[in-house]
Amino acid sequence: MALQDSNAERRNLTVLSVSIIIYFLADGALINDIVRLQIINVEFQQPEILAYFVWGLLIWFCFRYWLQNKSSWREPLISDLTSSDSCSPIYYNHLVKRFGLGDDYSLSTFDDRHWVKLSKKQSGFVSFQHVYKEDSGKQKIDTLPVETFSDRIIIIRCIVDLFFKQPTLSGYFVPYFLFMWAICLGVKSAL
């Protein structure tokens, strides 16, 4: 079965990391000191050189993946945070209290003309917004920064929720997790 991925660096890092993980978890070992390739008639008398090559290749794939994708997750994450309906139940009650609107906008002037949401800030991350209409019908926006501990916990809960529901973060970070797992298994077996 071929692993189809439009990102070649992610695919290479993932396949090699998973191969190393499977090798160590399945207690893989070379039967003797001679490694043969059946496709062409080649014998390797020093298989440790092949192991060094595989570890070097794994590090090279990780480096290439990092170079190609080092900031590719931030903008889609902010877009997912500000547009995802799955985060609304997480932050709704917190923002209603934070803006002093009472439970279900009971302290607001017009119950049907208000909503709270996450919004992208000029500096690049998110802020909290309360959008409503004044008596004149003009739209007004109040903005609060993410500054308290509970604000940060709400944002982290939204990010964790998105990690499992959207491919933005998981698609970026899972190859790094697999890389670190492969490295840890290799170090453990060497000790």
Side-chain angles (χ1 to χ4, degrees), residues 7 9 62-72 172:
N7 187 330
E9 285 78 15
C62 185
F63 175 68
R64 290 291 303 157
Y65 178 66
W66 174 76
L67 279 179
Q68 291 286 65
N69 300 288
K70 58 185 163 188
S71 61
S72 66
Y172 178 77

Side-chain angles (χ1 to χ4, degrees), residues 6-61:
S6 60
N7 187 330
E9 285 78 15
R10 179 174 53 218
R11 181 199 58 227
N12 293 343
L13 181 60
T14 301
V15 167
L16 188 55
S17 296
V18 167
S19 300
I20 291 170
I21 290 167
I22 290 171
Y23 176 83
F24 284 116
L25 291 180
D27 287 330
L30 296 175
I31 297 171
N32 58 28
D33 287 342
I34 299 173
V35 176
R36 293 185 188 152
L37 296 177
Q38 298 299 328
I39 301 168
I40 55 175
N41 292 325
V42 176
E43 288 185 7
F44 297 99
Q45 300 295 326
Q46 297 176 332
E48 64 273 1
I49 300 298
L50 291 175
Y52 296 141
F53 178 76
V54 167
W55 287 114
L57 193 60
L58 180 66
I59 291 168
W60 173 253
F61 284 161

Side-chain angles (χ1 to χ4, degrees), residues 139-153:
Q139 181 175 315
K140 187 161 183 193
I141 299 173
D142 292 335
T143 304
L144 292 174
V146 176
E147 56 189 6
T148 67
F149 180 72
S150 60
D151 292 349
R152 289 181 178 89
I153 293 296

